[in-house]
Amino acid sequence: MAVLESEVLKGFVRLCDDGWQQGWHERNGGNLTYRMTDAEVEECKPDFKYDKPWVNMGVKAENLAGEYFMATGTGKYFRNMSLDPEANICIVEINAEGDSYRIVWGLKNGGGPTSEFPSHYLNHSVKAAQTNGASRVIYHAHPVNIIALTFVLPLNHETFSKILWQSMTECPIVYPNGVGVVEWMIPGGAEIALRTSELMKRFDIVVWAHHGMFVTGNDFDLAFGLMHTVEKSAEIYIRMLSTGLPMLQTIPEDKLAECAAAYGCKLDESLLK
Ligand code: 13P
Ligand code: ZN
């Protein structure tokens, strides 16, 4: 019962419930991974079994060798995570080469980690290196409004970042590095994983056109809060457009950096073109 009673599992499941309640997780849509601390691994280890085969991921990250990840299962529904975590969530161990995983806990009725595990894994690799190990959460969801915007806005980082920053006053403070955008691609697998992780070197938020969003954070609150904030700014922009009225005013472009600076954040002004 070590895993089921752990705080880390409770935090993981709570994020899943919160995302479900926001309407971001139709059917099996979306996925969540968490890179466990050494203390959490030790706490959960009494429940681990090392009898499953190694599975090659098609991607490699040496800086994640030997790490343990908690992950939603592929095909599993966020609305079911809290009802039966052991059937819907797994913990995987990464091998010494950093290119394969094996399930050590969970998915008691069979299955594997999310089909987006390669994207999560490479994003973790980038963020762990960039934050000196502080970043632990990668979260993928299908929020309605950000997806809707990918049909009507040009698919570039500058347009998305500027419009979303201007849609709600605290956005330049919450995500001063802006939003990366990936054109439509086939989900799952190595290609979209490589493309996304390249952008994660610059951004904490990556939008997948006509699909959804990836965010990263040091903990569950920060990752969920980031998804929530970006999606809310997208919703405000869509609601403003849907009035059919002309936009009379917005947050001045030349004040966005000043607004971020007032709270100790540095806006990536190269996105304001
Ligand atoms: P999984 O069920 O494999 O996690 O896939 C859901 C999804 O959102 C794919 O992008
Ligand atoms: Zn998806």
Side-chain angles (χ1 to χ4, degrees):
M1 295 294 281
V3 179
L4 290 177
E5 281 165 9
S6 66
E7 287 304 311
V8 59
L9 185 83
K10 287 179 199 154
F12 189 98
V13 163
R14 180 170 172 231
L15 186 152
C16 294
D17 269 342
D18 288 346
W20 159 248
Q21 277 159 28
Q22 290 296 324
W24 301 338
H25 298 285
E26 77 295 339
R27 203 174 182 279
N28 64 310
N31 24 74
L32 175 66
T33 58
Y34 172 78
R35 188 171 56 82
M36 298 172 75
T37 65
D38 292 345
E40 288 159 349
V41 171
E42 281 314 306
E43 181 191 356
C44 294
K45 229 171 199 166
D47 289 355
F48 292 176
K49 291 203 172 60
Y50 292 91
D51 56 355
K52 301 261 183 350
W54 292 105
V55 179
N56 187 277
M57 294 182 279
V59 295
K60 182 172 176 159
E62 276 157 16
N63 68 334
L64 299 180
E67 296 275 353
Y68 287 78
F69 291 90
M70 196 171 272
T72 50
T74 184
K76 303 302 184 190
Y77 292 25
F78 268 50
R79 66 186 283 263
N80 291 337
M81 295 295 163
S82 59
L83 295 179
D84 193 351
E86 206 168 353
N88 293 291
I89 296 166
C90 62
I91 295 174
V92 299
E93 180 195 13
I94 304 299
N95 68 350
E97 288 73 40
D99 64 3
S100 302
Y101 68 78
R102 65 175 168 183
I103 297 172
V104 298
W105 178 87
L107 292 175
K108 64 182 180 191
N109 304 320
T114 171
S115 60
E116 305 292 3
F117 199 75
S119 282
H120 284 252
Y121 186 70
L122 290 189
N123 292 341
H124 276 294
S125 172
V126 166
K127 289 299 173 188
Q130 199 175 63
T131 64
N132 208 12
S135 172
R136 296 196 172 271
V137 183
I138 301 286
Y139 178 30
H140 168 59
H142 296 174
V144 174
N145 294 285
I146 199 83
I147 297 172
L149 283 184
T150 66
F151 292 87
V152 295
L153 293 182
L155 295 176
N156 61 67
H157 320 320
E158 290 81 6
T159 305
F160 271 75
S161 298
K162 187 173 127 183
I163 281 177
L164 293 170
W165 279 337
Q166 284 183 309
S167 293
M168 196 164 64
T169 295
E170 304 214 341
C171 291
I173 303 158
V174 176
Y175 48 99
N177 294 333
V179 177
V181 181
V182 172
E183 70 286 1
W184 185 83
M185 291 180 77
I186 307 273
E191 201 182 334
I192 196 164
L194 285 163
R195 183 95 177 79
T196 309
S197 64
E198 268 309 304
L199 290 182
M200 279 289 179
K201 291 176 184 163
R202 180 173 177 193
F203 302 102
D204 295 326
I205 305 152
V206 173
V207 172
W208 281 1
H210 324 316
H211 183 151
M213 191 163 28
F214 265 86
V215 299
T216 176
N218 292 2
D219 60 30
F220 295 122
D221 278 349
L222 287 166
F224 182 83
L226 192 53
M227 186 75 75
H228 203 186
T229 308
V230 178
E231 169 60 3
K232 188 167 185 184
S233 43
E235 181 175 359
I236 290 168
Y237 189 71
I238 297 254
R239 287 204 190 196
M240 183 276 290
L241 290 180
S242 63
T243 64
L245 300 170
M247 183 164 68
L248 295 185
Q249 57 274 320
T250 184
I251 300 168
E253 191 176 324
D254 62 354
K255 295 285 182 195
L256 290 169
E258 204 178 313
C259 180
Y263 290 85
C265 304
K266 181 154 177 27
L267 198 84
D268 181 351
E269 291 185 72
S270 69
L271 291 161
L272 293 174
K273 285 194 275 183

